[in-house]
Amino acid sequence: MQITLTKLGQVYLPNYIRKELNLEPGDNIYIFVDNKAIILAKEACEKENQCILSNRGTLHIPVEIRRICKITSAMKFNAILNIEDRIIVLSKSD
């Protein structure tokens, strides 16, 4: 599946992903970078940033993460749902 970053640095998580990971509006989502991929997790991880899931299912990717990963607006990501680890991996689409 592909996810597109908006001009405001947000990504939309489809409903089926939110349901699979039991994500609710207002949940804290932890964000960190691993080998130039962005990892989103409901559980706290080392060296994380965090954001809050909106009512519409969007997350704001912090500016420092966008800079580290050299992310620009309208960039597309491959989204991989890892149910076992309860994370979402966003990697740049070619």
Side-chain angles (χ1 to χ4, degrees):
M1 134 182 281
Q2 280 198 339
I3 293 177
T4 303
L5 185 75
T6 69
K7 291 179 183 179
L8 299 175
Q10 297 174 324
V11 292
Y12 171 76
L13 298 179
N15 197 34
Y16 79 91
I17 288 178
R18 289 179 278 158
K19 283 183 180 178
E20 193 67 48
L21 295 180
N22 196 28
L23 298 174
E24 298 290 331
D27 281 351
N28 285 325
I29 306 298
Y30 299 92
I31 303 173
F32 63 100
V33 177
D34 181 34
N35 199 21
K36 296 195 177 185
I38 298 172
I39 311 295
L40 307 173
K42 189 172 179 180
E43 310 278 325
C45 305
E46 290 183 26
K47 300 178 186 173
E48 74 275 353
N49 288 289
Q50 72 180 31
C51 61
I52 297 174
L53 184 65
S54 78
N55 290 335
R56 294 183 177 180
T58 59
L59 293 173
H60 181 78
I61 305 297
V63 171
E64 59 270 13
I65 296 218
R66 290 183 293 184
R67 284 184 186 144
I68 289 169
C69 295
K70 297 180 181 168
I71 296 171
T72 58
S73 63
M75 187 171 276
K76 295 191 183 301
F77 295 93
N78 293 317
I80 301 166
L81 179 60
N82 182 327
I83 297 171
E84 182 179 316
D85 292 335
R86 303 195 51 75
I87 62 172
I88 302 163
V89 178
L90 301 177
S91 59
K92 291 183 202 175
S93 180
D94 293 332

